[in-house]
Amino acid sequence: MAYHSVQVTVPKKSVDDVLKRSERKGVSVSGISAVKGPARTITFLTAPDAQQSLLDDLQTACNKLDDWQIAIMPVDAVVMKSGKQSDGDNAQSREELLDEISRGARLNPTYFALVFVSAIVAGLGMIANNVAAIIGAMVIAPLLGPVLASILGVSLGDRKLIAKAALASASGIALAIATGAVMGLLLHPDLGQPELARRGAVGFEDMALALAAGIAAALSITAGVSAALVGVMVAVALLPPAAAIGIFAGNGDLPLALGAALLLAVNLSALFLSGQIVFLVRGIKPRTWYMRKKAEQSFKVSLLAWSVLMLVLLTLIWFEFKA
């Protein structure tokens, strides 16, 4: 059961109001800063099932103030008098999710360098039919962050986060395609290599894999579990198809490039659709009523759009199998 320490810094006159709003099961006051200066820091120990409601009430109270700050820190262990700890969910709060996921959607030289290197390794792995190299490329591919940030942005109705994450995702995929195109143009690879050829076609099993990856990614991040291995699974669904598009196009084989593009579209749709559903089930939503209404609207539009796209892609896959 993951407890957290929540530290609230507010003006001295607001301490009583903050303490009143913290009165609930699962929350205890573990300290108040020394009586010096105009501000006070109150530290709470919170159980997982009480953390989000406490943060919501604290932000409602603090938004009326000119200056305030809330810090959230994980607690390694809690020893109780009873010696018992009830089983609970290690769910992360909305604020922790927003901070962690938005950091993964930043466009910077490191992001582009990792995408570029992973695209080269994945491309060479497919050309040489080296599965180990492809998996190694997925370990360093930073594509999980932007995908999760886009899904979270829709769930919270945060247009800035959606735009930021969409730009990062599009930029990374475009760089992977461009890198693959240069490799295809310069290396003239054998397009019959199994690991490369299979990226030129799409099947229902590919959609199932992407759906599973989206569910696993959303569950891992909301449960506060390390998403490193899940990131490999997400990268497998995105980076090799993107690099393969470039390799096929650079080598002049447009039918295979279109097949890889269909595979990429299927994987993206499945990732976003399954991730959004998990965030909905986990209750990830904005704090205020107004933002919740905006988020509901964006969520419905996004869910409808991805569902329709999935149906279209399923139809294309079906006709491809029939042919």
Side-chain angles (χ1 to χ4, degrees), residues 4-8 18-19 21-23 27-31 42-46 54 58 75:
H4 282 75
S5 173
V6 177
Q7 294 185 343
V8 188
V18 170
L19 291 174
R21 289 180 179 269
S22 69
E23 294 176 353
V27 176
S28 60
V29 180
S30 58
I42 310 166
T43 303
F44 300 100
L45 182 65
T46 65
L54 173 65
L58 290 177
V75 176

Side-chain angles (χ1 to χ4, degrees), residues 39-323:
R40 298 289 180 270
T41 298
I42 310 166
T43 303
F44 300 100
L45 182 65
T46 65
D49 54 357
Q51 181 181 339
Q52 189 62 72
S53 61
L54 173 65
L55 291 171
D56 289 346
D57 285 350
L58 290 177
Q59 288 179 79
T60 300
C62 291
N63 280 337
K64 304 173 184 177
L65 307 176
D66 294 331
D67 188 24
W68 58 276
Q69 177 178 290
I70 297 177
I72 309 167
M73 293 163 287
V75 176
D76 292 332
V78 176
V79 180
M80 300 181 179
K81 183 178 180 180
S82 63
K84 297 180 180 179
Q85 289 192 19
S86 59
D87 293 333
D89 192 353
N90 292 341
Q92 295 204 85
S93 67
R94 180 198 318 111
E95 289 73 17
E96 289 176 293
L97 283 174
L98 188 58
D99 178 68
E100 181 176 348
I101 292 178
S102 61
R103 278 188 276 117
R106 292 175 182 169
L107 278 178
N108 52 45
T110 301
Y111 173 78
F112 287 115
L114 287 174
V115 171
F116 178 67
V117 172
S118 59
I120 291 177
V121 176
L124 292 176
M126 289 187 290
I127 291 172
N129 198 38
N130 188 331
V131 178
I134 298 173
I135 295 174
M138 300 309 98
V139 174
I140 60 176
L143 297 179
L144 176 62
V147 170
L148 285 177
S150 297
I151 300 171
L152 181 63
V154 171
S155 299
L156 298 180
D158 189 335
R159 294 181 180 179
K160 289 184 178 179
L161 181 58
I162 295 172
K164 176 183 176 182
L167 178 61
S169 297
S171 300
I173 291 173
L175 178 58
I177 293 174
T179 303
V182 173
M183 295 175 68
L185 187 63
L186 297 179
L187 301 179
H188 301 291
D190 176 10
L191 302 185
Q193 290 283 14
E195 284 300 322
L196 184 58
R198 68 181 299 270
R199 264 79 188 192
V202 59
F204 294 105
E205 68 279 3
D206 296 300
M207 183 173 289
L209 174 64
L211 284 169
I215 292 172
L219 280 176
S220 67
I221 198 71
T222 55
V225 179
S226 174
L229 294 179
V230 180
V232 174
M233 191 174 179
V234 171
V236 167
L238 297 180
L239 190 66
I245 294 172
I247 292 173
F248 292 139
N251 207 50
D253 196 320
L254 294 183
L256 282 177
L258 290 175
L262 179 59
L263 174 60
L264 179 61
V266 166
N267 288 347
L268 271 175
S269 302
L271 283 170
F272 276 88
L273 187 60
S274 58
Q276 279 189 231
I277 293 173
V278 170
F279 275 17
L280 175 65
V281 173
R282 299 286 288 188
I284 306 300
K285 54 188 176 182
R287 178 175 57 86
T288 64
W289 178 86
Y290 173 72
M291 289 302 297
R292 285 181 185 178
K293 288 298 180 183
K294 288 183 63 178
E296 286 176 7
Q297 182 180 5
S298 65
F299 182 86
K300 289 177 182 177
V301 171
S302 178
L303 192 62
L304 177 62
W306 286 114
S307 299
V308 170
L309 181 58
M310 282 282 287
L311 288 174
V312 172
L313 294 172
L314 279 169
T315 303
L316 290 175
I317 295 173
W318 173 258
F319 280 115
E320 185 174 319
F321 270 108
K322 295 284 285 186

